[in-house]
Amino acid sequence: MEFVSPEGLRLDGRRPLEMRQLRAEIGTVAKANGSAVLEMGNTKVIAAVYGPREVQNRSQIINDQALVRCEYSMANFSTGDRMRKPKGDRRSTEISLVIRQTMEACILTHLMPRSQIDIFVQVLQADGGTRSACINAATLALADAGIPMRDIVTSCSAGYLNSTPLLDLNYIEDSAGGPDVTVGILPKLDKVTLLQMDAKLPVDIFENVMGLAIEGCKAVVNYIREDHQFKH
Amino acid sequence: MGLPNASGDLSTEVEVDAFRRLFPLRFFEKHLLESIRPDARPLGRARDTTIALGAVASANGSALAKIGSTTMLAAIKMEVMAPSMETPDEGCIAIDFHMPPICSPIVRPGRPAEAAPVVAKQLSDTILSSGMINLKELSLVSGKAAWMAYLDIYCLDADGALFDAALLAAVAAFSHLEIPVVSLNDDGKIVLSEEQGLSEREPVNKEKRKVNLGSIPFSLTCILHKNYILTDPTAEEESIMETSVTVVLDSSSQLVSLYKPGGAVLAYTSAIQDCIALTRQRVKELQKILEEAISGMEVD
């Protein structure tokens, strides 16, 4: 199947190095300490942060830092066919772990010992790149909650189909069976905190694709910095 | 916030926010004496309500309803299934209500909220018994194929009156629902038709159509406290004054359901009738809001 036409257009009309449209809004869940809704193209996720608050399970208290918990779940109607088991399945558990560890890397947990920070992410519409959208939404929600962080984390995915590196894959491109590289960076410190890839790829092309994903992450950072509602 | 200055009363020595947390009941009663609530609403007024149709692009019908801060997202997905033996001419509706942990600080992952299955059952009973949807309309081929409509409602922010907002979202999603076009393929199975021109097969239903809704149910939850009736409670009010009455009326003002699940306050019939009268007014408001949302969509 052709994912990049001879004129250089993808299935949804984008160019290979073009990201989908990004839209975000913070403070949408009134009850949460911090919340954000983020859209990357048709992928729409909502993240809510509760904390720092008292640890609910006494046996899990850490004396010198905060406990970070994360739960990722998809709405039943988020994908094309209705999902039977939106959470507790292996994929959701894995993504919950990935998001938790990514965010833990940037939160200054030692400033809030013996407390708990909960990050909940709910996918309302899934069209590829849900992992990245969730991390971006979680970053905004943490910032909205005023939780001290070393730096923000932004994430983006990239792939390689029809011998072309493609930025920000949607669902069809993702399920094409080509490689999918997801990267999460801390922009100011210029460090990579999350890197995942599946499928085979020669090393030099991989460097290319990873570089492209990092450019995508930087584009997300620019969006966050430029949008006036996020400036304090 | 004008707290009456009673001498010898702790309220004069403590800050408003602290007083609200330490003595919530007294805080509210001070307001009720002046016939007002902390968010400046009179006792009989509901919060600002909005409906947005088509919130989820990938679903066959969807709606986002907000009452104050309480936010509900409802989406309907249609699947083809074989009807049961007893009712070969009828389709089926499955209603599910979810409270993900984002909606409230008291919901923990792994332990579903206490309110979720209660509201789910209430919704299921109300929608199926109200006669809003005629299940025979969901039939495709008698005895062989019928529609199964999965209605999923997600609470995105829980700030009281969950059932009201959920019912409103469900009703709005049904009014936005479009049944997709299907046709029989060679194996005798139903498949979704992609475009009109391509299929040589005869479509089973001619065009995408909207479901005909019968009488639409609308609800109002009131809290009873001593002699006061507070409509459309927030989560704070619900946690302090626990006795609630939910009345569901349909668009022709007939009573669909009445729900008073125990509670410390025992209500005389007159209190229940007051609740029904308040619901009647609220039904008119909600009908107007729903009609505006629907006509707003049709302009596109």
Side-chain angles (χ1 to χ4, degrees):
Chain A
M1 192 183 159
E2 204 182 67
F3 294 98
V4 186
S5 76
E7 297 92 49
L9 292 178
R10 289 150 80 171
L11 292 171
D12 52 5
R14 283 186 286 155
R15 302 232 151 252
L17 304 186
E18 199 183 316
M19 271 186 76
R20 290 177 290 183
Q21 196 186 41
L22 200 57
R23 258 200 51 187
E25 205 181 299
I26 51 172
T28 44
V29 178
K31 285 235 155 280
N33 294 113
S35 58
V37 175
L38 187 118
E39 287 179 56
M40 282 171 85
N42 283 331
T43 297
K44 187 166 173 176
V45 312
I46 186 168
V49 166
Y50 287 94
R53 56 179 177 175
E54 203 180 317
V55 182
Q56 280 164 344
N57 191 348
R58 284 298 162 114
S59 60
Q60 290 178 338
I61 292 188
I62 309 177
N63 282 319
D64 59 349
Q65 46 176 311
L67 176 71
V68 178
R69 283 203 310 181
C70 176
E71 192 183 71
Y72 165 95
S73 93
M74 299 181 76
N76 280 337
F77 45 74
S78 57
T79 55
D81 299 318
R82 188 176 178 269
M83 292 184 68
R84 300 279 151 183
K85 213 179 172 223
K87 55 179 168 177
D89 64 316
R90 293 190 305 203
R91 182 177 170 271
S92 299
T93 315
E94 190 247 333
I95 299 185
S96 301
L97 182 76
V98 165
I99 299 178
R100 175 170 70 79
Q101 291 181 323
T102 307
M103 304 323 291
E104 238 178 343
C106 73
I107 298 176
L108 295 167
T109 49
H110 61 276
L111 291 181
M112 299 160 286
R114 309 177 67 86
S115 71
Q116 174 175 303
I117 298 175
D118 285 321
I119 307 171
F120 300 124
V121 193
Q122 178 85 28
V123 176
L124 301 176
Q125 265 181 226
D127 187 24
T130 50
R131 200 174 299 231
S132 300
C134 289
I135 290 175
N136 294 330
T139 292
L140 289 173
L142 284 168
D144 187 35
I147 291 186
M149 296 195 278
R150 333 200 126 79
D151 196 355
I152 56 174
V153 185
T154 56
S155 167
C156 193
S157 65
Y160 188 76
L161 289 169
N162 291 149
S163 314
T164 326
L166 302 175
L167 180 57
D168 196 10
L169 305 172
N170 61 24
Y171 180 71
I172 307 178
E173 293 166 342
D174 202 353
S175 18
D180 173 19
V181 178
T182 306
V183 177
I185 61 167
L186 299 173
K188 273 226 179 84
L189 300 177
D190 206 14
K191 293 198 174 182
V192 173
T193 168
L194 166 70
L195 179 58
Q196 282 186 300
M197 187 190 91
D198 52 29
K200 289 200 285 200
L201 203 56
V203 177
D204 49 347
I205 299 183
F206 166 73
E207 281 174 4
N208 212 346
V209 174
M210 179 174 154
L212 185 59
I214 294 182
E215 290 302 309
C217 296
K218 294 197 175 140
V220 177
V221 176
N222 284 336
Y223 171 80
I224 291 177
R225 291 208 179 121
E226 273 165 32
D227 200 322
H228 62 92
Q229 66 172 314
F230 304 137
K231 288 208 176 97
H232 348 276
Chain B
M1 289 228 164
L3 289 179
N5 219 337
S7 55
D9 196 329
L10 202 55
S11 64
T12 55
E13 291 150 29
V14 178
E15 251 187 25
V16 173
D17 283 330
F19 189 73
R20 186 176 193 157
R21 292 291 182 93
L22 293 171
F23 308 106
L25 196 54
R26 279 165 57 183
F27 177 79
F28 273 92
E29 283 180 349
K30 280 184 186 293
H31 288 77
L32 293 178
L33 284 173
E34 317 276 330
S35 294
I36 202 149
R37 292 143 89 170
D39 54 0
R41 278 189 287 156
L43 301 188
R45 192 194 298 167
R47 290 169 287 180
D48 287 337
T49 309
T50 54
I51 300 178
L53 297 179
V56 179
S58 51
N60 300 104
S62 61
L64 180 75
K66 279 182 80 145
I67 299 185
S69 301
T70 301
T71 310
M72 297 280 170
L73 179 63
I76 303 176
K77 280 222 162 238
M78 310 281 281
E79 274 178 21
V80 182
M81 56 131 203
S84 74
M85 297 289 203
E86 299 101 45
T87 52
D89 283 323
E90 286 182 4
C92 195
I93 304 179
I95 302 174
D96 209 358
F97 176 72
H98 309 256
M99 279 182 73
I102 55 171
C103 73
S104 163
I106 40 186
V107 178
R108 290 155 57 168
R111 191 174 283 188
E114 226 176 50
V118 175
V119 175
K121 174 116 200 341
Q122 261 186 293
L123 271 176
S124 196
D125 289 344
T126 305
I127 293 179
L128 294 175
S129 67
S130 69
M132 177 172 72
I133 308 271
N134 182 357
L135 293 177
K136 294 205 190 319
E137 272 201 54
L138 297 179
S139 172
L140 279 170
V141 176
S142 173
K144 293 236 191 79
W147 286 115
M148 171 76 139
Y150 287 104
L151 170 65
D152 289 298
I153 305 176
Y154 278 79
C155 179
L156 300 179
D157 200 340
D159 194 20
L162 299 180
F163 176 74
D164 294 347
L167 184 62
L168 190 60
V171 156
F174 271 112
S175 64
H176 180 251
L177 178 65
E178 271 181 5
I179 301 189
V181 186
V182 288
S183 52
L184 275 172
N185 73 359
D186 307 315
D187 301 327
K189 287 216 183 113
I190 302 265
V191 287
L192 282 171
S193 301
E194 253 121 54
E195 261 125 36
Q196 308 291 58
L198 293 182
S199 64
E200 312 96 25
R201 319 169 201 126
E202 185 65 37
V204 174
N205 48 354
K206 292 296 169 185
E207 48 173 12
K208 264 191 178 187
R209 62 183 172 87
K210 291 226 161 180
V211 183
N212 274 331
L213 296 180
S215 55
I216 303 181
F218 294 104
S219 76
L220 181 65
T221 302
C222 306
I223 287 204
L224 305 179
H225 179 69
K226 298 193 183 159
N227 294 332
Y228 303 106
I229 300 179
L230 284 74
T231 57
D232 190 23
T234 61
E236 197 188 352
E237 290 169 352
E238 275 181 354
S239 63
I240 302 169
M241 302 171 261
E242 283 181 347
T243 310
S244 75
V245 177
T246 304
V247 180
V248 182
L249 295 177
D250 70 10
S251 29
S252 48
S253 283
Q254 284 196 309
L255 188 63
V256 174
S257 114
L258 186 61
Y259 187 71
K260 179 185 182 301
V265 176
L266 307 172
Y268 282 108
T269 332
S270 53
I272 303 290
Q273 289 187 341
D274 286 339
C275 291
I276 297 182
L278 287 163
T279 310
R280 213 172 272 135
Q281 272 180 319
R282 178 74 171 146
V283 166
K284 294 202 184 87
E285 281 170 28
L286 291 175
Q287 262 179 315
K288 212 168 132 241
I289 295 174
L290 185 60
E291 274 161 18
E292 273 170 15
I294 295 176
S295 59
M297 284 292 288
E298 273 160 23
V299 169
D300 299 338

